Amino acid sequence: MSFETALRSRLKDDAGVAAITSQVDWTVRPQASSFPAVVLTNIADQRDQHFQGFAGFRPTRVQIDCYAATKAVAVSLREAVLAAVVPAATKGGVTFLRSFVNTVLDRGDQTETGFIHRELIDLTIWRSA
């Protein structure tokens, strides 16, 4: 299983996240999808090397956007996502070491249909190569 598939599965299979939403997608939230939703974006995938080849674990920086119609739900989803992805775990053959939160931001947007609340999480996920 790829890192991307394993991370998405980790979020979808988490009881806390699943209690709020089943929508977890990479890069783009499908246009017809409803809220709340989670969108994952790979920001940087550093591949450290040594003379023997690639290092066993590597840091991948991922942005996770938690979208909701209300601030309270966006914050609840943010906290559920953090609880799901920060601890070490193994999913689909991918070993996740503890993740590190770089920043959390409130990035809501006014749209034609109203205000959309977005909690942005930027983390570094240490994982198997």
Side-chain angles (χ1 to χ4, degrees):
M1 182 179 285
S2 71
F3 162 72
E4 290 82 1
T5 302
L7 181 59
R8 183 174 184 261
S9 294
R10 194 171 171 192
L11 285 165
K12 287 183 73 69
D13 295 346
D14 181 80
V17 173
I20 301 170
T21 187
S22 63
Q23 297 204 46
V24 179
D25 297 289
W26 276 98
T27 312
V28 176
R29 186 178 62 83
Q31 191 171 16
S33 66
S34 60
F35 296 110
V38 175
V39 176
L40 308 166
T41 305
N42 191 333
I43 301 299
D45 189 14
Q46 184 174 325
R47 298 182 183 209
D48 293 336
Q49 299 180 59
H50 47 71
F51 290 110
Q52 301 290 316
F54 289 107
F57 286 92
R58 69 184 198 228
T60 300
R61 194 165 153 217
V62 176
Q63 178 178 310
I64 303 176
D65 293 297
C66 301
Y67 292 94
T70 68
K71 175 71 173 175
V73 173
V75 168
S76 293
L77 183 55
R78 177 195 72 205
E79 293 305 311
V81 165
L82 286 170
V85 299
V86 169
T90 299
K91 186 71 170 183
V94 177
T95 301
F96 294 87
L97 300 179
R98 183 172 176 82
S99 298
F100 295 91
V101 179
N102 300 318
T103 192
V104 174
L105 300 169
D106 180 348
R107 303 292 281 192
D109 297 311
Q110 183 64 46
T111 68
E112 294 173 1
T113 57
F115 194 83
I116 298 172
H117 295 271
R118 177 173 66 137
E119 291 290 313
L120 181 151
I121 304 166
D122 180 313
L123 10 120
T124 301
I125 299 172
W126 282 87
R127 46 79 169 223
S128 56

